[in-house]
Amino acid sequence: MLSRHTGYDANISRSLLEACATACRSCGDECGSHAGMHEHCRVCAEACRACEQACRDLLAVMS
């Protein structure tokens, strides 16, 4: 959505980034609760937290 070559709407981009950050936080929390038992959950939690941070970083520069 953010890299499409059509019109740009900052409000839509912000909404998508906020939704992505929320979903990644939720996934990271859930996988993080299993990270001690399963390596794949630890890896997933790290990836989700990194994605959440990337979304929040982009939101910060858009403001």
Side-chain angles (χ1 to χ4, degrees):
M1 203 52 202
L2 295 174
S3 65
R4 67 187 179 152
H5 297 287
T6 59
Y8 173 74
D9 185 328
N11 292 323
I12 292 173
S13 295
R14 278 189 205 90
S15 295
L16 288 170
L17 287 166
E18 289 168 0
C20 183
T22 298
C24 288
R25 181 181 59 238
S26 178
C27 182
D29 289 348
E30 181 63 26
C31 288
S33 70
H34 303 278
M37 297 176 282
H38 305 288
E39 176 67 10
H40 64 275
C41 290
R42 183 191 63 75
V43 171
C44 181
E46 287 177 7
C48 289
R49 290 183 180 124
C51 184
E52 177 189 5
Q53 189 59 55
C55 290
R56 297 205 185 282
D57 291 346
L58 186 50
L59 278 165
V61 298
M62 290 176 67
S63 298

